[in-house]
Amino acid sequence: MLNEDVKKRIETGLEGSLVHVTEFSGGTDHYSVVVVTPAFEGVALLKRHRMVLDLFQAEIGTGEVHALSIKAFTPEQWQVERTRTSFF
């Protein structure tokens, strides 16, 4: 998968989300994603990760996506976090 495909999949699966994707192995199967969405309001961190991972079950099963590092924020949490990062 390409970065744009990963981004689009998350944006489609988690409506209203902001997504930043980085491929970190030099190939096309190890991704780091930052996801900001109101859908995470009141949801535990582990469940947030599961919500994102569930969008890629087929690709994880085939090895097309080998690794997916996830940072998951509500918009309110992102307001604090974004002062520490340079995207969005």
Side-chain angles (χ1 to χ4, degrees), residues 14-32:
L14 297 171
E15 193 172 320
S17 60
L18 294 173
V19 181
H20 177 79
V21 179
T22 304
E23 203 294 327
F24 63 86
S25 73
T28 58
D29 64 349
H30 289 68
Y31 298 96
S32 176

Side-chain angles (χ1 to χ4, degrees), residues 4 30 42 58-59 70-72 74:
E4 294 126 20
H30 289 68
E59 291 81 5
I70 303 166
K71 292 186 180 179
T74 65

